[in-house]
Amino acid sequence: TEIDWKAYMEEVEGFANGTLDYIQLKGETGPLVYPAGFVYIFLGLYYATGRGTNIRLAQYLFATLYLFNLLLVFRIYWRTNKVPPYVFFFMCCASYRIHSIFVLRLFNDPVAMAILFLAINLFLEEHWSWGCLLFSLAVSVKMNILLFAPGLLFLLLQRFGLLGCIPKLCICALLQVVLGLPFLLVNPVGYLTRSFDLGRQFQFKWTVNWRFLPEEVFQNRAFHAMLLLTHLAGLGLFALHRWRRPKESILALLKDPARRKPASPHLTIIYILFSSNFLGVCCSRSLHYQFYVWYFHTLPYLLWCTPTTKLAHMPKVLLLGVIELCWNTYPSTVCSSLSLHICHGLILLQLWHGTAPTPVMHTPSSSRRPAAISKKTQ
């Protein structure tokens, strides 16, 4: 359980010793392939745990992160008021794999996701600039957060229009430059190619989702291109038919929001972000075991966000159980990987054919709308 933690500590140790050339930062499992935010956060853990030797303390720190992450997720779900309370038991207690990813393996994926959920909470509070700052920070820990980026771009255009969203995008870009500046000044090409390598090959032996394919197909660039095109097509279809408001042109997003209908309710913010990420997960070139945390905490919402009858609850719980079983099958098999795709396909069908999410139930008071508040209190 220490392999990745040791590799992380070796990677940041080079930076602690003054190495600023990203090409030279390496660990037991290979070169450093994460952006600069990862280096700074795990450098703090490196010093806090006695140069990475006090693994028990690191596990306590990650256990605290796990609880903090749950609080952030629960706060999001409280705002949606869509998921039955008993489902939270499965989220907290029924996933061995998630507990392992957080507390036993000490991966960087949970760190990125916790920051992401904090950013989503800020979006729900209408703190879009701070939310974009934290979103960019999460990207700087691990690039999987970019799977939420298409949904966030749609929301920014919907909320601020084309001109209004440019400053928010600049916040995201500026933070990446600031964090990477020490490495960009020394070897900019090395930093960009290593930390933002979108063409990196994955090893077939670790794949969870494509085990049923022959290895030569799994490694084929044409297969990767097909997945990318499928992902882009899925995003386009959801943007046109599921994310935008009925009878509103997609080009209307570019207009000044003052000339359009009011912004979407908070529930739709979560729907767009979570479905954007889920589309990316479904079309990923490879899913490794630690990648489960990329979407585990969003699955209950994706299953219950559309209206359903009480009789339909049990199949959804069963679907969660099958997905958990697939992720706990090691090594993955033809059956487990096929089952995972079938479960993903069923969730996508529900998201596509289900009715649009209803407005949020729990809306905090806002000083921007005193008139609406006074009417509620009368």
Side-chain angles (χ1 to χ4, degrees):
T1 61
E2 300 175 6
I3 295 176
D4 288 274
W5 172 259
K6 286 183 176 179
Y8 292 165
M9 294 299 100
E10 290 168 356
E11 290 164 357
V12 301
E13 185 176 32
F15 176 64
N17 293 332
T19 302
L20 295 178
D21 186 348
Y22 232 65
I23 299 295
Q24 303 302 320
L25 298 178
K26 301 177 181 180
E28 183 178 335
T29 58
L32 174 59
V33 292
Y34 309 119
F38 162 86
V39 177
Y40 300 130
I41 291 175
F42 276 81
L43 181 65
L45 292 171
Y46 171 80
Y47 285 120
T49 58
R51 300 180 182 273
T53 59
N54 192 344
I55 297 177
R56 178 60 62 86
L57 176 58
Q59 290 180 308
Y60 285 142
L61 293 173
F62 270 78
T64 303
L65 176 68
Y66 174 66
L67 295 175
F68 177 65
N69 184 78
L70 280 179
L71 287 174
L72 293 173
V73 172
F74 286 172
R75 190 174 186 276
I76 292 172
Y77 276 86
W78 175 77
R79 298 291 292 272
T80 67
N81 198 31
K82 297 296 292 184
V83 179
Y86 66 84
V87 176
F88 294 107
F89 168 80
F90 297 97
M91 187 184 294
C92 296
C93 306
S95 178
Y96 162 80
R97 181 62 64 188
I98 292 299
H99 295 160
S100 173
I101 292 170
F102 269 89
V103 183
L104 293 179
R105 303 287 180 173
L106 310 178
F107 286 113
N108 63 329
D109 304 74
V111 178
M113 291 305 299
I115 299 173
L116 181 276
F117 287 128
L118 181 57
I120 293 177
N121 273 276
L122 289 171
F123 294 146
L124 295 178
E125 297 294 338
E126 295 292 329
H127 299 306
W128 290 91
S129 295
W130 285 108
C132 287
L133 186 72
L134 283 174
F135 180 88
S136 184
L137 179 61
V139 171
S140 75
V141 177
K142 192 157 188 179
M143 281 201 304
N144 71 283
I145 304 301
L146 288 176
L147 297 179
F148 291 88
L152 177 59
L153 177 61
F154 187 94
L155 288 170
L156 290 175
L157 288 171
Q158 188 180 67
R159 181 68 175 79
F160 301 102
L162 178 60
L163 294 179
C165 82
I166 291 177
K168 312 301 179 186
L169 298 178
C170 288
I171 291 174
C172 296
L174 183 60
L175 182 67
Q176 295 299 322
V177 173
V178 171
L179 292 175
L181 190 60
F183 309 104
L184 290 169
L185 293 175
V186 174
N187 185 354
V189 175
Y191 174 72
L192 293 174
T193 55
R194 279 287 170 83
S195 59
F196 296 99
D197 183 9
L198 297 176
R200 184 159 55 100
Q201 288 280 18
F202 293 102
Q203 295 183 16
F204 182 68
K205 66 178 182 179
W206 295 117
T207 187
V208 176
N209 58 332
W210 297 115
R211 179 67 63 181
F212 61 90
L213 293 177
E215 185 170 359
E216 55 271 21
V217 175
F218 174 81
Q219 299 288 2
N220 193 289
R221 294 289 185 179
F223 174 64
H224 301 165
M226 183 195 71
L227 288 175
L228 177 60
L229 291 175
T230 303
H231 184 200
L232 294 176
L235 289 171
L237 288 172
F238 265 74
L240 287 171
H241 300 288
R242 302 304 299 154
W243 294 350
R244 71 180 180 89
R245 285 186 290 264
K247 299 180 181 180
E248 181 181 68
S249 169
I250 193 71
L251 296 179
L253 295 174
L254 305 180
K255 299 179 181 178
D256 185 342
R259 301 179 180 179
R260 294 190 265 116
K261 296 178 181 179
S264 296
H266 292 152
L267 189 62
T268 309
I269 290 176
I270 302 167
Y271 175 81
I272 291 173
L273 290 174
F274 283 9
S275 58
S276 172
N277 177 66
F278 185 70
L279 286 167
V281 170
C282 291
C283 299
S284 291
R285 287 185 290 129
S286 182
L287 293 175
H288 296 177
Y289 285 96
Q290 68 269 30
F291 297 177
Y292 190 21
V293 78
W294 290 6
Y295 76 130
F296 170 79
H297 294 100
T298 71
L299 286 174
Y301 174 81
L302 294 172
L303 283 167
W304 271 274
C305 66
T306 54
T308 181
T309 63
K310 292 183 179 180
L311 293 178
H313 283 220
M314 189 54 67
K316 294 182 180 182
V317 174
L318 179 61
L319 205 58
L320 288 177
V322 174
I323 292 174
E324 179 70 22
L325 182 62
C326 293
W327 282 96
N328 280 286
T329 302
Y330 177 81
S332 61
T333 64
V334 171
C335 181
S336 68
S337 59
L338 274 173
S339 298
L340 186 63
H341 278 288
I342 291 172
C343 291
H344 288 172
L346 291 173
I347 296 174
L348 279 176
L349 284 174
Q350 175 177 293
L351 291 174
W352 183 258
H353 291 289
T355 57
T358 53
V360 66
M361 297 296 294
H362 298 292
T363 304
S365 60
S366 173
S367 59
R368 299 179 185 177
R369 299 177 180 175
I373 296 173
S374 61
K375 288 180 181 180
K376 291 181 181 179
T377 57
Q378 288 178 355

